[in-house]
Amino acid sequence: MKIIIVGGGIAGLSTYLHLRKRLPNSSRHIITVYESHKPRSTASGTSSLDRLNQSVNLNALSESTAIVGGGLGVSPNGMRVLRDLSLDLHDRVVAQGFPAENFFFKGANDWTLGIQSTSDKAVRAEGDAEEVCIASSRHGLWHTLRQYVIEKHGQDVIKHKKVLKVVRNTDKPRLRLQVHMLDEQGQKEVDDADLVIGADGVKSVVRKALFGDSEKYNPVYSGQSGVGGFHNTTIPPIISNRKAMVFEFGGNGFFGYASGGPVSAKQLMWWSTFETSSLPDTRDVDPQAIKHALLERHKNWKDPVVVDIVKNADVESIYPTWIMPELPHWGERGIVLVGDAAHAMDPTTGQGASQALEDSQTFVLLLAELLDDERYGNASEKWIIDQAVEIFHKIRSPRINKIVERGKKLAGRKASVGIVKEYVMYCFLWLLIKFPLLGK
């Protein structure tokens, strides 16, 4: 089987690793990852002053899987997928990140609204390994996955070419799909595949092969945008001593911070999310203006950690938040979508990376099962692929839909409100954290 994965981000790389581990006679299959951008960004906490005078292109930030900035948390369910994939890889992800055993929720007035454990120990069998949320820079997680792929399977697995479109191959029915792309010199190329996996994010080219340019299935701006970055400083005790990620809600936005790596690395990652009635201009924007808006937005917040971050940290990324409308399916006739290409969700869920990891595991397990010659020896490759794609959606979409709905409710807590509603929100969040059954 010839498989092309479009997108060399978290979803694409984890899918490649699962395919190589799970498929029967893995070496017989040709599997290639196409990624548009060469690695060129790190999660540095020491941006130069010149950087503040450079413009930031929001289109590039939205479309690229290799321009990686900002932070994330890999939840226990995502860490279990990594453990299943490779204990070595799992341990590398833990080592480069920060095990956040607790979530601290606070108000902009510096009130502590509650603490939640991130451990999954309560739902594990006795003696089973415990997982907690791993706070990480996006770059750190992606780089760890990429290096593992290269070490185990070679440099040539990931090819840096820009995929332009995916079309049905009517001339050669056996090779059902054609992937059109540009190489690094701008020359057009075409590659054939039996299976194309779209792991190319919210602005997915592969999704267009399934649904065309219909507005109905395009990503939707959530009404909120964010900025974030990394600040080289001693990690605050609330993080280092309590092993926590901190989430703060205010009347005019949301702020979060955590260690982006081992405490000794002194890499404090932060993010600020705020409501905007219209999509930020996707042409070049001025980071100095964004920094000024950040200072204004949080000038009355009381947490000294937030005050210090806002005063000293450079703005390293700006991103509108996109969500995907529910799709009628995630693939057909040899094409399948995974990760944000299928179901981009509000960052409030904390499940973006983890659900991409679950996607890659689930789809490949299905495909590997259906390729079992003893059970499906007479089945055609076409039937096997299409069955795997169909069942994948049936299994995964109910779980994704529940998470998306929960995210919509939580995202509302980030909307701008007056002082009375702000304090009502604090009381509401305190009750939810204190008495979790109320949420159910």
Side-chain angles (χ1 to χ4, degrees):
M1 186 185 302
K2 190 173 181 183
I3 302 171
I4 289 176
I5 301 171
V6 182
I10 294 165
L13 295 175
S14 61
T15 300
Y16 177 87
L17 289 169
H18 278 289
L19 288 167
R20 282 299 181 208
K21 178 176 180 177
R22 301 291 185 185
L23 292 192
N25 302 311
S26 173
S27 60
R28 290 171 45 192
H29 304 288
I30 301 171
I31 310 172
T32 306
V33 179
Y34 286 116
E35 167 56 48
S36 299
H37 298 80
K38 278 193 169 182
R40 65 180 184 133
S41 176
T42 61
S44 169
T46 55
S47 298
S48 68
L49 292 176
D50 289 340
R51 181 167 182 144
L52 286 177
N53 295 318
Q54 296 173 355
S55 60
V56 178
N57 187 279
L58 295 182
N59 279 328
L61 287 169
S62 293
E63 294 171 2
S64 172
T65 55
I67 299 176
V68 280
L72 51 78
V74 185
S75 299
N77 53 304
M79 293 306 300
R80 291 213 163 267
V81 175
L82 291 174
R83 180 181 288 274
D84 174 67
L85 181 56
S86 162
L87 182 57
D88 179 27
L89 176 60
H90 169 279
D91 291 348
R92 292 189 195 189
V93 170
V94 172
Q96 65 80 42
F98 173 74
E101 298 179 7
N102 298 290
F103 289 159
F104 263 64
F105 298 93
K106 302 178 72 174
N109 58 4
D110 207 25
W111 286 2
T112 296
L113 304 176
I115 304 169
Q116 284 185 339
S117 169
T118 71
S119 171
D120 66 353
K121 187 176 181 179
V123 296
R124 294 294 145 207
E126 186 176 349
D128 199 2
E130 176 187 8
E131 299 288 354
V132 299
C133 179
I134 302 299
S136 170
S137 68
R138 182 173 294 275
H139 180 272
L141 175 60
W142 166 81
H143 179 73
T144 303
L145 284 167
R146 179 183 170 87
Q147 286 303 112
Y148 190 83
V149 168
I150 291 171
E151 284 179 26
K152 300 298 181 181
H153 303 286
Q155 291 272 0
D156 294 337
V157 166
I158 305 168
K159 300 185 184 299
H160 294 103
K161 299 180 182 182
K162 182 177 178 61
V163 172
L164 303 174
K165 60 181 178 179
V166 178
V167 298
R168 307 291 175 189
N169 191 341
T170 56
D171 296 332
K172 299 178 182 178
R174 189 171 175 279
L175 291 172
R176 295 189 289 162
L177 301 160
Q178 288 183 325
V179 178
H180 294 247
M181 65 197 89
L182 293 177
D183 65 16
E184 294 180 77
Q185 288 71 46
Q187 300 298 311
K188 291 185 178 181
E189 292 186 9
V190 178
D191 198 0
D192 291 316
D194 302 298
L195 169 63
V196 172
I197 300 173
D200 49 343
V202 68
K203 297 296 184 72
S204 173
V205 171
V206 180
R207 190 173 60 243
K208 290 183 180 294
L210 293 169
F211 302 108
D213 293 318
S214 171
E215 291 290 328
K216 186 177 179 180
Y217 302 121
N218 284 344
V220 177
Y221 176 55
S222 70
Q224 295 180 341
S225 292
V227 294
F230 296 84
H231 182 32
N232 279 356
T233 187
T234 301
I235 301 301
I238 190 173
I239 296 174
S240 57
N241 294 347
R242 306 297 293 270
K243 298 181 179 179
M245 295 180 75
V246 181
F247 304 90
E248 297 197 13
F249 298 83
N252 61 343
F254 171 85
F255 201 98
Y257 58 89
S259 181
V263 171
S264 59
K266 296 184 177 181
Q267 185 187 64
L268 182 63
M269 69 181 188
W270 62 275
W271 58 97
S272 170
T273 307
F274 52 96
E275 186 177 40
T276 53
S277 58
S278 60
L279 181 67
D281 192 342
T282 56
R283 296 170 296 182
D284 291 344
V285 295
D286 180 5
Q288 287 186 322
I290 299 300
K291 176 64 180 287
H292 177 73
L294 179 71
L295 288 165
E296 281 295 306
R297 188 161 56 253
H298 296 289
K299 65 183 180 182
N300 294 320
W301 288 43
K302 304 302 182 183
D303 183 348
V305 177
V306 173
V307 172
D308 181 68
I309 291 172
V310 170
K311 179 181 177 181
N312 295 301
D314 293 340
V315 175
E316 295 185 359
S317 61
I318 173 171
Y319 43 92
T321 300
W322 299 92
I323 55 176
M324 279 297 302
E326 184 178 347
L327 301 177
H329 60 82
W330 293 346
E332 61 182 10
R333 295 187 292 163
I335 297 175
V336 66
L337 304 175
V338 296
D340 282 355
H343 49 68
M345 56 186 71
D346 192 281
T348 305
T349 64
Q351 282 287 325
S354 295
Q355 291 309 306
L357 292 169
E358 285 190 10
D359 278 356
S360 62
Q361 180 189 49
T362 305
F363 177 70
V364 174
L365 284 172
L366 286 168
L367 185 61
E369 170 69 15
L370 291 164
L371 284 168
D372 184 341
D373 288 340
E374 291 186 7
R375 298 186 64 182
Y376 306 97
N378 296 322
S380 70
E381 206 168 72
K382 175 182 179 297
W383 180 87
I384 287 170
I385 292 171
D386 290 347
Q387 284 293 302
V389 171
E390 182 179 348
I391 298 170
F392 168 64
H393 178 253
K394 287 180 179 178
I395 289 175
R396 292 284 297 144
S397 59
R399 173 165 168 76
I400 291 294
N401 292 341
K402 286 182 180 179
I403 294 171
V404 167
E405 287 304 310
R406 184 179 68 195
K408 288 178 181 177
K409 294 175 183 179
L410 291 172
R413 305 299 161 194
K414 298 179 182 179
S416 296
V417 296
I419 187 67
V420 174
K421 286 188 176 181
E422 179 181 347
Y423 277 80
V424 169
M425 175 178 66
Y426 294 160
C427 294
F428 177 77
L429 290 171
W430 180 84
L431 284 169
L432 279 183
I433 297 166
K434 187 75 173 178
F435 305 103
L437 288 177
L438 286 175
K440 296 181 179 181

